[in-house]
């Protein structure tokens, strides 16, 4: 799923590798617009930032993301950051859960 990360006045567009109603795993590459790899790599656990989720069928969901882990990658998982969603309404959580279920069925 495409997500937009608000980072000090810039908006970084990335695709999630994995998503659930409580959070997502976001790879370090590719990022649009092109940013140095260190942009997301510098997001250490505890970092809070704005995140916008594009569910296609629903309005764009805005919330805060908190980095809960930073990974160099392992097997099928690329290097990236684990993000926990904060300040989501129950309706937004349900919309994300439905989206994740639809994506799993399509795979």
């Amino acid at each position: 799923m495409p997500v937009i990360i608000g980072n000090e006045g810039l908006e970084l567009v990335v695709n999630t590798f994995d998503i659930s109603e409580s959070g997502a795993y976001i790879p370090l590459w590719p990022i649009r617009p092109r940013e140095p790899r260190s942009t997301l790599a510098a997001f250490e656990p505890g970092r809070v930032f704005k995140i916008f989720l594009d569910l296609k069928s629903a309005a764009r969901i805005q919330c805060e993301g908190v980095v809960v882990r930073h990974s160099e990658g392992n097997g099928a998982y690329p290097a990236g950051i684990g993000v926990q969603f904060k300040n989501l309404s129950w309706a937004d959580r349900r919309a994300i859960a439905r989206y994740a279920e639809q994506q799993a069925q399509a795979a």
Side-chain angles (χ1 to χ4, degrees), residues 47 70 78 91 93:
R47 170 104 182 242
H70 194 282
R93 284 191 186 280

Side-chain angles (χ1 to χ4, degrees), residues 31-79:
I31 300 171
R32 295 180 305 271
R34 288 196 166 192
E35 290 285 330
R37 183 179 183 125
S38 62
T39 299
L40 282 180
F43 281 35
E44 292 297 326
R47 170 104 182 242
V48 178
F49 56 92
K50 288 184 182 175
I51 189 166
F52 304 90
L53 309 169
D54 182 5
L55 301 181
K56 307 215 186 310
S57 62
R60 189 163 122 171
I61 295 172
Q62 177 181 342
C63 65
E64 287 184 335
V66 179
V67 177
V68 293
R69 73 181 166 109
H70 194 282
S71 175
E72 296 303 319
N74 184 6
Y77 265 70

Side-chain angles (χ1 to χ4, degrees), residues 17-36:
F17 184 79
D18 192 9
I19 190 162
S20 73
E21 65 186 79
S22 62
Y25 187 78
I26 301 172
L28 298 180
W29 285 102
I31 300 171
R32 295 180 305 271
R34 288 196 166 192
E35 290 285 330

